[in-house]
Amino acid sequence: MEKIVILTGAGISAESGISTFRDEGGLWAQHAIEDVATPEAFRRDPDLVHRFYNARRAQAAEVAPNAAHLALARLQERHRGEVVLVTQNVDALHEAAGSRAVLHMHGALAGALCARCEARWPAPMVMATRDACPICGAAATRPDIVWFGEMPYGMEAIWQHLEEADVFAAIGTSGNVYPAAAFAQHAGRAGAQTIELNLEASQNTRDFAETRLGRASVIVPEWVDAVLGN
Ligand code: NAD
């Protein structure tokens, strides 16, 4: 049975109203990445980092999944082989669309993490620097987000899935952020058919056997229909 591994990035959530990295005027554009999305930034100015992620959490709570998220949930439900969904996104739109077992390799806005004892719990809508960890009591709580320079979650399992994949699809990701940007090459070398679905060709477009360009809400449902043989 055909095993499909999918990687999604900010582009799949763009049409739901969540800005991508590069969108002008988006949340990211107002801050330099190194001021909000690194461990150093959190040490330097935890209030700023919490404000930034609180704003993103508030924005994420107001949006709904689009046709691309829904199509992938349909694929997971109807495909007879395994469908592994890995996302770089920290929103919960795949889950809202009905997807199961989503691997959030860069963490999730919905999670809180204690930097002292590594306990995890559901994040409140508004997090603050002085919040105490419910387990050890340390005022060391942070969003459960993988920042630049930190190790993404679940990598051992993800490399394994890529090696077993018959099909690898990357959707709405620019191919700028490693290790996710290396997945296509890894899966392709292990024998997978590789396809990129994106608004514009990604940085690593040459690693894919096939590229389809367009809006995720249009090209992802089309691709899913073709895979399911509709
Ligand atoms: P990116 O912003 O670097 O690239 C987005 C890609 O999506 C681009 O290649 C762009 O052409 C494409 N795109 C834009 N609109 C699209 C649409 N309507 N349909 C299809 N494709 C579209 O995003 P990335 O590659 O995911 O960057 C990785 C980092 O950004 C990750 O660390 C991720 O955690 C973070 N991020 C996440 C979110 C989110 O959770 N929704 C939002 C912004 C950034």
Side-chain angles (χ1 to χ4, degrees):
M1 215 72 79
E2 199 175 57
K3 173 164 176 162
I4 304 176
V5 178
I6 299 166
L7 170 72
T8 65
I12 196 169
S13 296
E15 290 168 78
S16 290
I18 298 190
S19 45
T20 65
F21 248 161
R22 293 120 178 282
D23 271 351
E24 287 181 28
L27 277 175
W28 287 99
Q30 296 157 28
H31 299 276
I33 287 165
E34 52 278 8
D35 289 340
V36 287
T38 63
E40 295 73 30
F42 190 59
R43 277 196 291 276
R44 194 168 50 233
D45 193 345
D47 287 344
L48 171 72
V49 174
H50 275 304
R51 275 202 305 278
F52 174 74
Y53 283 100
N54 288 341
R56 297 193 64 197
R57 200 176 293 109
Q59 182 193 40
E62 284 178 4
V63 299
N66 64 55
H69 299 101
L70 293 166
L72 295 185
R74 187 157 51 87
L75 181 67
Q76 280 191 311
E77 193 184 300
R78 306 219 183 126
H79 180 62
R80 285 170 36 182
E82 192 182 357
V83 179
V84 176
L85 185 51
V86 181
T87 187
Q88 298 169 90
N89 295 344
V90 295
D91 63 55
L93 291 175
H94 285 303
E95 287 87 348
S99 276
R100 291 158 280 114
V102 183
L103 288 165
H104 280 273
M105 62 180 288
H106 289 165
L109 287 168
L113 166 69
C114 176
R116 180 78 56 80
C117 76
E118 295 188 6
R120 288 188 164 78
W121 63 97
M125 279 306 284
V126 178
M127 293 184 71
T129 307
R130 63 189 173 285
D131 291 346
C133 166
I135 305 300
C136 75
T141 66
R142 52 169 279 184
D144 191 9
I145 302 279
V146 177
W147 285 324
F148 288 92
E150 296 183 319
M151 178 66 84
Y153 294 147
M155 286 313 301
E156 210 174 310
I158 293 171
W159 292 125
Q160 179 78 36
H161 284 308
L162 292 166
E163 281 158 27
E164 294 166 1
D166 298 298
V167 176
F168 171 72
I171 301 172
T173 176
S174 62
N176 278 307
V177 178
Y178 281 84
F183 289 1
Q185 196 177 65
H186 197 79
R189 283 187 178 157
Q193 189 191 326
T194 52
I195 178 165
E196 148 180 56
L197 304 167
N198 208 7
L199 193 58
E200 49 198 27
S202 64
Q203 199 70 25
N204 58 327
T205 188
R206 64 186 174 284
D207 295 335
F208 294 89
E210 187 184 346
T211 294
R212 293 188 197 171
L213 300 182
R215 289 187 291 126
S217 66
V218 175
I219 62 176
V220 175
E222 284 173 359
W223 175 70
V224 166
D225 283 345
V227 172
L228 291 174
N230 294 341

